[in-house]
Amino acid sequence: ATVYRSNLKEAGVIHFNLEENRLVFIYVSYGELFVNGNRLKPGDQARIDQEKTLHLAASSTGPAEFILIETSSDRNNIIGNKG
């Protein structure tokens, strides 16, 4: 898994491309974050799969802080998984 911590300025945008068979978990800690047009508020979380690109945008009224975790969607590739 890869963990990213991000601070987006007001109206800031990130485009995050995903490879095949990848899962993303997003946890919003501050502000409003729009993920492919869906609004997340502080304390919200999202589990995303079957997307090729994520469009992450802070609100036009303020910054947003979040953690994004990218991991394999293949259960056999998870460390410690016994099947």
Side-chain angles (χ1 to χ4, degrees):
T2 305
V3 178
Y4 301 93
R5 181 177 173 272
S6 182
N7 297 310
L8 282 178
K9 293 181 181 179
E10 181 178 307
V13 176
I14 295 174
H15 302 287
F16 188 82
N17 295 318
L18 296 168
E19 294 182 21
E20 200 169 318
N21 298 320
R22 303 299 286 174
L23 276 176
V24 169
F25 298 91
I26 296 174
Y27 302 91
V28 179
S29 57
Y30 181 82
E32 288 185 336
L33 180 69
F34 291 85
V35 181
N36 290 358
N38 297 297
R39 183 175 67 139
L40 300 175
K41 299 175 290 184
D44 286 349
Q45 52 189 313
R47 177 181 181 260
I48 302 164
D49 61 2
Q50 300 180 3
E51 294 285 345
K52 295 195 183 284
T53 302
L54 297 180
H55 303 284
L56 308 163
S59 169
S60 60
T61 60
E65 295 179 10
F66 64 95
I67 294 172
L68 184 149
I69 302 170
E70 179 188 21
T71 188
S72 173
S73 64
D74 182 357
R75 291 178 185 248
N76 292 324
N77 285 337
I78 298 174
I79 296 173
N81 187 14
K82 302 293 183 190

